[in-house]
Amino acid sequence: MIEVTNLTKRYGEHVAVDHLSFRVEKGQIYGFLGPNGAGKSTTMNMITGYLAPSEGTVVIDGKDIQKEPEEAKRKVGYLPEIPPLYTDMTVEEYLIFAAELKKIPAKERKEQVEKVMEMTRIADMRGRLIRNLSKGYRQRVGLAQAILGDPEVLILDEPSVGLDPKQIIEIRDLIRQLGENHTIILSSHILSEVSAVCDHIMIIAHGQLVASDSPEGLQKLMKGSMELELTVKSEYERLESILKEIPGVEALEQTASPEKGMVKVKVMTGENRDVREAVFFALADEKLPIMEMVHSEKSLEDIFLELTDDVKPVEKEKKKLFGKRKTQENPEKEDGGTVQPGGTEPQQAVEAEDSPKMSTEEEEA
């Protein structure tokens, strides 16, 4: 549905997006994650045609956003991080105006405006001036204009920002509902939201794509060695001698004991080695009671922090998780995950909103 190839954006010496390539399949909800300054908003602005790329192409359903902008943009509904609202209009006036801009036939405008107001729960605000709305309701109005015209692709940049917990749940349900008939790219800093809503997650750091997979696939790729936390009634030396005899146990680390007569250890094993059953029987044979056994798994937050921590760790993880480096001419997929090569080491990325505004003439230059 969307094909991004070698997308690059430079602001002087700063590289906001560095030869980014990925593909978005039809009918999926994609989560777009990255720390501040990673290039998320810049990428979304280029996909929608709001910004011109320094290099690369964006093709939406076969239409190049630079060569056929009108046809490509007609397929996209966009909610920027700051919704593009005219605060002197009422909610209904603004949505009718947006419907006119999207060239929705006059006989369909009223019906479509009513439909999106009901979907976003703003029908009771139709006569209110947008300037008098709370931030949460303004966000809903922005989402309503993105849905107008029933576009095939929805690009939502922080759609739940400013909403209260009840509204966030409602927006998540709405995104899931929209995902049944639309392709969605969702940018969010709320990792639980991405994990709960998205079918696929893309993580960007320093303007480069460092991981792309399903939430479950990312956890599998990042798992590496298994960790067990054990609390046992025993002396450490005795416990250590027993555990080190179990095949697959590679290292032990003693942690703070919860109480006298107890020992707490962290057991590290080889990749994909599950030693819980062997540990249980070995300690049972020695009549050492296991008071607690916890299998540690990395959360999406752990994965996000590990992949976006710094440039060099990112490069290290990319090699560790996904094998050999790929060339830009021949991106491959291993174990369900993709990684974009960076070429040279990227400079500090700059988000579009943090970058100086440029005129159209400067952009083209």
Side-chain angles (χ1 to χ4, degrees):
M1 190 66 195
I2 300 176
E3 191 162 350
V4 175
T5 307
N6 290 332
L7 199 63
T8 304
K9 185 64 181 178
R10 301 185 186 90
Y11 295 101
E13 296 181 355
H14 295 290
V15 181
V17 178
D18 188 5
H19 295 91
L20 188 63
S21 296
F22 60 85
R23 184 181 180 88
V24 173
E25 300 295 338
K26 188 173 183 178
Q28 298 283 303
I29 302 177
Y30 283 73
F32 203 46
L33 295 179
N36 290 331
K40 301 187 305 299
S41 293
T42 303
T43 300
M44 288 188 162
N45 285 332
M46 288 190 286
I47 291 174
T48 57
Y50 182 75
L51 282 178
S54 304
E55 296 177 32
T57 59
V58 176
V59 178
I60 301 173
D61 199 21
K63 307 296 182 181
D64 190 305
I65 196 72
Q66 296 298 311
K67 296 178 181 177
E68 303 172 273
E70 189 170 342
E71 290 82 358
K73 290 178 182 179
R74 191 176 289 119
K75 299 176 181 295
V76 177
Y78 182 36
L79 173 64
E81 187 173 0
I82 301 174
L85 305 177
Y86 290 94
T87 57
D88 290 334
M89 289 182 171
T90 66
V91 170
E92 189 170 21
E93 287 171 346
Y94 170 73
L95 292 176
I96 290 172
F97 173 64
E100 292 172 358
L101 290 179
K102 292 188 175 189
K103 298 183 179 180
I104 296 172
K107 61 182 180 180
E108 298 177 15
R109 285 174 197 159
K110 187 72 175 176
E111 180 184 349
Q112 287 216 25
V113 167
E114 288 292 335
K115 179 181 176 181
V116 299
M117 285 196 297
E118 289 295 332
M119 289 177 71
T120 55
R121 307 281 183 89
I122 56 172
D124 55 344
M125 298 288 170
R126 67 175 70 240
R128 295 274 299 273
L129 287 174
I130 292 175
R131 70 166 65 168
N132 297 329
L133 297 179
S134 68
K135 186 176 181 181
Y137 271 108
R138 292 189 187 197
Q139 197 72 8
R140 286 167 176 251
V141 175
L143 182 57
Q145 68 78 26
I147 300 170
L148 269 174
D150 199 28
E152 296 177 47
V153 178
L154 292 174
I155 298 179
L156 311 176
D157 196 354
E158 301 287 349
S160 60
V161 67
L163 304 182
D164 62 40
K166 183 174 183 293
Q167 292 171 331
I168 288 174
I169 293 171
E170 291 172 353
I171 290 295
R172 287 182 187 177
D173 291 339
L174 175 58
I175 291 171
R176 290 192 195 97
Q177 179 185 339
L178 292 169
E180 296 174 4
N181 301 304
H182 300 77
T183 302
I184 299 176
I185 299 178
L186 165 68
S187 171
S188 178
H189 286 99
I190 306 172
L191 300 185
S192 60
E193 178 174 83
V194 172
S195 182
V197 171
C198 298
D199 306 308
H200 198 98
I201 295 174
M202 297 182 289
I203 300 178
I204 185 173
H206 304 281
Q208 298 177 302
L209 190 69
V210 295
S212 178
D213 206 336
S214 66
E216 298 79 13
L218 281 177
Q219 287 185 323
K220 181 180 177 182
L221 288 167
M222 288 294 296
K223 184 164 61 175
S225 62
M226 177 186 285
E227 290 185 359
L228 285 179
E229 291 185 359
L230 285 174
T231 302
V232 182
K233 266 189 177 180
S234 173
E235 297 296 327
Y236 176 72
E237 291 75 13
R238 186 181 176 195
L239 180 63
E240 180 184 32
S241 65
I242 297 169
L243 293 178
K244 283 193 172 181
E245 294 298 318
I246 297 174
V249 173
E250 295 188 347
L252 294 177
E253 178 185 327
Q254 185 175 8
T255 57
S257 298
E259 58 184 89
K260 190 174 180 179
M262 300 274 192
V263 61
K264 189 171 184 177
V265 296
K266 186 178 289 186
V267 181
M268 278 73 76
T269 71
E271 187 171 355
N272 298 324
R273 293 294 297 269
D274 188 346
V275 297
R276 286 175 290 182
E277 187 175 331
V279 167
F280 173 81
F281 284 115
L283 296 181
D285 289 343
E286 296 294 328
K287 294 183 171 49
L288 295 180
I290 299 174
M291 309 307 292
E292 186 178 41
M293 181 188 290
V294 179
H295 173 211
S296 302
E297 287 187 349
K298 289 187 177 179
S299 65
L300 181 58
E301 185 177 52
D302 297 327
I303 296 168
F304 176 82
L305 292 173
E306 191 165 344
L307 286 173
T308 62
D309 186 38
D310 203 355
V311 176
K312 291 181 180 178
V314 162
E315 293 297 325
K316 180 181 177 182
E317 287 298 337
K318 283 158 64 175
K319 291 179 182 179
K320 170 186 169 185
L321 299 179
F322 306 104
K324 63 181 181 179
R325 298 279 297 227
K326 285 76 177 175
T327 62
Q328 291 170 5
E329 292 77 19
N330 185 30
E332 297 177 336
K333 198 169 186 180
E334 294 183 8
D335 299 328
T338 60
V339 170
Q340 283 303 125
T344 56
E345 183 173 290
Q347 302 176 40
Q348 175 61 41
V350 178
E351 288 279 18
E353 56 267 30
D354 297 330
S355 305
K357 302 283 184 184
M358 293 190 289
S359 66
T360 305
E361 292 76 16
E362 290 173 318
E363 285 279 339
E364 293 175 351

